[in-house]
Amino acid sequence: MQNICRLALAVSLSFSSLMVVAEQAKVVEPAKVVEPVQIAEQDLPQLIQEMQHKKASQRISATFSRQHYKKFMMDDALSSLIYDFYLKQLDYSRQVFLESDIASFEKYRKSFDDMVATGKLAPAYDIYNLNVKRRFQRYQYALSLLETEFDFSQKEQYVFDREDAPYATTEAELDELWRQRVKSDALNLKLAGKDWAEIKKVLSKRYNYALKRLSQGESEDVFQIVMNAFSRTVEPHTSYLSPRNAERFQMEMNLSLEGIGAVLRAEDDFTVIQSVVTGGPADKSKKIKPKDKIVGVAQGDKEFVDVVGWRLDDVVDLIKGPKGTTVRLQVEKGEDDPTIEVISIVRDTIKLEDRAAKSEVYSEKQAEGEDVANAKKLGVITIPSFYNKLSRDVAKEIAKLKEDDVQGIIVDLRGNGGGSLVEATLLTGLFIDKGPVVQVRDGANRVEINKDTDGLSYYDGPLTVMVDRYSASASEIFAAALQDYGRAIIIGENTFGKGTVQQHRGLGRVYDLYENPLGSIQFTIAKFYRINGGSTQHKGVTPDILYPSAIEPSEWGESREERALEWDKINKASYRTINDFSQDIAYLDSLHKERIKSNDEFKYLNEDISYYRANKDKKSASLNFDERKAEREENKLKRLTRANMRLTAMAKEPVESVDDIPDELADLDPFLDETAHITFDLVEVGKIAKK
């Protein structure tokens, strides 16, 4: 089984898996501007497809048509979908093309299926070249706006979400859209404390680099967009990987990566730290934190390159590099009053051990004066992914927890996007004697049942499993199997809903004589089903005890993908339920709900959920400095008030500024604490049942 959204992981997880040795962070002075070479419109390349692209396109369409799990026709209906997806990739916010441009493309709407099948992609390249020209014109206009300082006292709104907006009918309309966009960029810098001279310098550099990148486009860029428009139209987990991304994919599979040990994601125009690799120097340095934004990258002692607005894979290319070399990052920290720090990092090799399962003992908080030695204890096993030999590692952790006399175990699968199907089966086998774990149906409707057959259970005590909306694929197989057996109580959010199997295959052949290599493809070949017959696809796993969540299941994961495979069911496998938790769950849930009524952390969570739901459909932001600053001050006050309430509850002194909030508050985990309470309740229910 492949990891969830393997293409996305190949770009944002593995290759940004960054291992770091950080020097003392310091506030950075404005970087010395290195003006890029001025680019003229005639410098823009007129890209055409390369020789290998015709054959690659033919092989991709033939493979998907014959071997993909989802049966589809290469017809006008599919062509129309490919066409729409392709335009969305080129102009997602509808701020580049004019309505007249779109009208001129309409003649190709029913041709994309034939283009992909034959490999004759000239019209797609023509559309791309015009997109580059239009972008060039837009950035030139953006630069011209910097000649005059903006008036931030005016009352106006910037519409940042234009996915469903109409295309501009005139160039004047486009100019107004970009005036608002540039003013928004400038306002963000002003809110960060920069004066107009600094704002002009930063934005001039940013837009000029954008122009330079337009002049450096390659034929492979176009081919990748066309092929992924086709792939994603077939099914969300089907994709084309360019030769560069295919190489990264193999690095991820080999789990030998050279970088700085952090997971990156794209968020608006920024590259954001999603997490740091556990146990790596980035994690140990305490200098790089989730939500930090990387705004500049420099190699060794060279000048910084502003990377705001860059594609994620291009930023990753700048950051990754050979072991032992140094990269410097300009990192924007803080949400309300952001500051820029520079962090020097020595790249190193990332190994699997940095992402291995680990366990810890969780002790019930004892009332003051009680004997801590008699505290109730649970084991918590955190599993970040289903890697090779995971089950062996978890068996060792279970043995250690047994030596500590834990009364129950929590398996934490939050954020676990999946991995090996074999390991999902073996891990389940640690908690049951024997029996089926998952059913797999291929495109020919043949069903194979993966079973645990050893007749041994490594742990048969009270067990709960934590999941969230990021738990996917192998995580869902494990959680679903334990839920169907009645072996564990599942707690948390509805899971992602990825119930499909992907195969990765290179497009090249030994007899190819092309000058440039062909990439590779990933496509869906099978579907997972629970032992009760229901699919994990689309619906995911619904926990027995649900935690409050801002995101509805229909707004996340497979549920939001238009072309995702549907939920269905097959015959149930032959298995015997271990426990009937139906009445116990109702009782435990009632205790949980009563407990969180007086829990401040869940109170904050519900406040945040209400705020999110009230604002989630907001598509615009104020361009008035005073209004935006007031919003930030309000958010700062909210954060400070909450922080001090938490510190008071911990018998610690309050702080006067958000900058003084201690890092230990970020380590609070109310979901784990509440899961521990539920697990302790489960232990007591078991004791009563035995009596």
Side-chain angles (χ1 to χ4, degrees):
M1 180 179 66
Q2 311 297 329
N3 283 354
I4 174 175
C5 300
R6 180 61 58 74
L7 175 62
L9 284 174
V11 173
S12 65
L13 174 59
S14 305
F15 319 133
S16 42
S17 287
L18 316 157
M19 200 163 229
V20 344
V21 177
E23 298 175 355
Q24 179 66 37
K26 54 184 179 294
V27 177
V28 66
E29 298 297 326
K32 184 171 70 177
V33 176
V34 179
E35 295 296 339
V37 177
Q38 295 299 312
I39 304 297
E41 190 169 321
Q42 57 266 30
D43 297 322
L44 298 177
Q46 287 297 302
L47 301 174
I48 59 174
Q49 71 179 91
E50 297 173 350
M51 290 182 60
Q52 76 277 8
H53 290 151
K54 180 177 180 180
K55 181 57 67 177
S57 184
Q58 292 172 344
R59 289 175 181 171
I60 292 170
S61 61
T63 302
F64 290 174
S65 297
R66 297 169 187 166
Q67 301 181 38
H68 201 286
Y69 181 87
K70 182 178 182 179
K71 306 307 177 187
F72 63 94
M73 296 292 294
M74 295 286 287
D75 55 16
D76 288 348
L78 182 74
S79 178
S80 183
L81 294 171
I82 300 170
Y83 168 84
D84 287 335
F85 198 92
Y86 182 57
L87 290 185
K88 182 178 286 189
Q89 298 306 295
L90 296 181
D91 190 9
Y92 182 83
S93 296
R94 302 193 173 190
Q95 293 181 328
V96 179
F97 285 130
L98 288 165
E99 186 180 66
S100 57
D101 294 328
I102 301 301
S104 70
F105 303 151
E106 193 65 22
K107 60 180 177 287
Y108 301 125
R109 177 176 287 278
K110 296 182 179 180
S111 302
F112 267 75
D113 58 328
D114 298 323
M115 288 161 50
V116 170
T118 62
K120 298 177 181 179
L121 306 172
Y125 276 78
D126 292 340
I127 294 173
Y128 184 91
N129 287 330
L130 181 59
N131 181 265
V132 171
K133 179 180 178 181
R134 292 284 185 258
R135 287 183 180 277
F136 179 87
Q137 294 166 348
R138 291 298 94 212
Y139 280 114
Q140 288 280 35
Y141 178 69
L143 285 167
S144 72
L145 293 173
L146 300 177
E147 297 303 316
T148 305
E149 183 173 357
F150 287 108
D151 180 2
F152 295 108
S153 65
Q154 295 179 340
K155 299 272 189 177
E156 61 176 324
Q157 294 283 315
Y158 167 52
V159 180
F160 53 80
D161 184 353
R162 287 182 42 80
E163 179 184 359
D164 299 318
Y167 289 97
T169 57
T170 65
E171 197 159 321
E173 285 184 45
L174 271 184
D175 287 348
E176 176 57 17
L177 293 176
W178 276 74
R179 183 194 67 80
Q180 294 178 3
R181 174 174 172 172
V182 175
K183 186 173 183 179
S184 177
D185 288 346
L187 178 56
N188 287 332
L189 293 172
K190 183 176 177 65
L191 288 166
K194 296 186 180 295
D195 60 25
W196 178 251
E198 292 175 307
I199 291 171
K200 181 178 179 180
K201 183 184 295 184
V202 170
L203 293 184
S204 294
K205 184 179 178 183
R206 183 179 301 173
Y207 299 154
N208 272 308
Y209 271 115
L211 290 172
K212 183 179 180 181
R213 290 196 301 277
L214 289 175
S215 71
Q216 297 173 335
E218 298 176 353
S219 177
E220 182 63 39
D221 297 334
V222 191
F223 186 73
Q224 181 171 243
I225 296 173
V226 178
M227 288 302 105
N228 276 317
F230 168 48
S231 302
R232 293 294 302 278
T233 298
V234 174
E235 192 260 346
H237 302 290
T238 297
S239 57
Y240 164 75
L241 281 72
S242 68
R244 181 171 66 173
N245 286 336
E247 180 184 358
R248 292 172 176 169
F249 178 88
Q250 292 302 327
M251 291 170 63
E252 196 261 342
M253 290 298 94
N254 294 332
L255 288 168
S256 179
L257 316 165
E258 293 184 353
I260 65 170
V263 179
L264 307 180
R265 72 173 187 271
E267 186 175 291
D268 299 323
D269 284 338
F270 292 95
T271 298
V272 180
I273 302 290
Q274 179 169 313
S275 63
V276 293
V277 177
T278 304
D283 183 35
K284 295 175 182 177
S285 74
K286 306 302 181 184
K287 301 299 181 185
I288 298 177
K289 303 286 186 181
K291 298 185 180 181
D292 287 352
K293 297 176 180 177
I294 298 174
V295 298
V297 180
Q299 308 301 326
D301 295 329
K302 295 182 179 179
E303 300 296 338
F304 278 99
V305 175
D306 185 295
V307 296
V308 177
W310 283 41
R311 293 188 328 194
L312 180 62
D313 56 350
D314 289 334
V315 179
V316 170
D317 275 345
L318 282 182
I319 295 174
K320 73 183 186 74
K323 175 181 177 180
T325 58
T326 299
V327 62
R328 290 185 298 137
L329 305 179
Q330 284 180 336
V331 178
E332 182 179 296
K333 291 179 172 288
E335 299 177 24
D336 303 309
D337 279 326
T339 58
I340 305 293
E341 296 182 357
V342 63
I343 302 174
S344 293
I345 299 164
V346 178
R347 300 176 177 105
D348 205 340
T349 302
I350 313 300
K351 291 296 184 182
L352 173 62
E353 289 75 21
D354 297 323
R355 291 191 281 162
K358 61 180 180 180
S359 69
E360 62 179 339
V361 174
Y362 184 104
S363 297
E364 185 179 42
K365 295 176 182 177
Q366 297 294 292
E368 186 175 355
E370 292 189 28
D371 185 2
V372 177
N374 294 323
K376 299 176 183 178
K377 295 185 292 186
L378 298 174
V380 180
I381 302 175
T382 303
I383 302 176
S385 67
F386 282 74
Y387 56 87
N388 292 334
K389 300 183 180 178
L390 165 68
S391 55
R392 179 199 62 183
D393 291 348
V394 173
K396 292 178 181 177
E397 300 302 320
I398 290 174
K400 289 193 294 184
L401 293 173
K402 283 182 175 180
E403 290 179 1
D404 287 317
D405 294 323
V406 298
Q407 296 178 289
I409 287 179
I410 300 169
V411 176
D412 188 350
L413 296 179
R414 289 177 295 173
N416 186 321
S420 167
L421 172 61
V422 172
E423 288 298 334
T425 303
L426 292 173
L427 184 69
T428 306
L430 298 180
F431 302 99
I432 63 172
D433 290 339
K434 62 180 179 178
V437 173
V438 64
Q439 305 184 84
V440 184
R441 184 174 72 177
D442 65 18
N445 288 324
R446 294 170 298 201
V447 176
E448 180 181 346
I449 301 177
N450 289 21
K451 302 178 179 180
D452 172 55
T453 59
D454 62 8
L456 299 174
S457 177
Y458 282 70
Y459 176 75
D460 59 5
L463 182 67
T464 56
V465 178
M466 293 185 72
V467 294
D468 63 10
R469 61 180 180 270
Y470 301 99
S471 304
S473 205
S475 293
E476 294 172 296
I477 289 171
F478 173 76
L482 294 187
Q483 188 178 54
D484 290 344
Y485 274 111
R487 177 63 190 89
I489 291 181
I490 314 302
I491 302 170
E493 290 180 295
N494 204 92
T495 61
F496 190 92
K498 181 183 181 292
T500 54
V501 190
Q502 280 72 48
Q503 181 180 90
H504 181 262
R505 182 182 299 178
L507 292 171
R509 304 289 184 267
V510 292
Y511 51 79
D512 287 339
L513 298 176
Y514 299 110
E515 182 178 350
N516 295 318
L518 282 70
S520 62
I521 51 175
Q522 173 180 288
F523 60 101
T524 298
I525 59 170
K527 202 172 178 183
F528 294 124
Y529 292 85
R530 302 170 65 138
I531 56 176
N532 70 6
S535 174
T536 57
Q537 171 66 11
H538 223 285
K539 290 187 178 182
V541 177
T542 301
D544 300 305
I545 297 179
L546 277 163
Y547 283 159
S549 175
I551 309 294
E552 297 292 336
S554 60
E555 299 173 333
W556 183 255
E558 293 290 291
S559 300
R560 62 181 296 186
E561 297 287 354
E562 294 181 5
R563 307 290 294 171
L565 297 179
E566 294 298 325
W567 180 90
D568 62 351
K569 62 187 302 183
I570 60 175
N571 294 331
K572 65 180 291 186
S574 177
Y575 69 98
R576 180 177 298 176
T577 303
I578 298 172
N579 297 300
D580 180 5
F581 278 135
S582 55
Q583 293 185 353
D584 295 334
I585 288 171
Y587 173 65
L588 295 172
D589 194 33
S590 66
L591 295 178
H592 153 68
K593 288 176 178 176
E594 187 63 30
R595 187 163 43 239
I596 64 175
K597 286 180 181 179
S598 58
N599 186 301
D600 286 338
E601 294 300 331
F602 278 85
K603 174 186 173 184
Y604 301 150
L605 174 62
N606 286 321
E607 289 175 356
D608 290 341
I609 289 173
S610 297
Y611 179 83
Y612 168 80
R613 290 179 177 168
N615 292 275
K616 68 175 183 176
D617 296 325
K618 186 177 180 182
K619 296 186 176 183
S620 63
S622 172
L623 292 176
N624 180 277
F625 177 79
D626 291 335
E627 290 178 353
R628 289 283 292 278
K629 187 174 182 181
E631 288 178 10
R632 291 197 173 199
E633 292 300 322
E634 182 181 350
N635 290 333
K636 284 173 62 177
L637 180 60
K638 181 179 178 180
R639 287 177 58 207
L640 182 62
T641 301
R642 282 191 181 180
N644 282 330
M645 291 177 68
R646 287 171 171 139
L647 289 170
T648 300
M650 297 166 67
K652 295 181 179 293
E653 291 295 319
V655 296
E656 296 183 358
S657 168
V658 292
D659 296 329
D660 300 324
I661 296 176
D663 291 341
E664 62 186 302
L665 292 189
D667 296 329
L668 295 177
D669 192 345
F671 297 115
L672 177 59
D673 292 338
E674 178 56 23
T675 301
H677 283 302
I678 295 170
T679 309
F680 282 126
D681 290 341
L682 178 62
V683 171
E684 294 304 314
V685 167
K687 290 179 180 178
I688 293 172
K690 287 180 180 180
K691 290 179 182 179

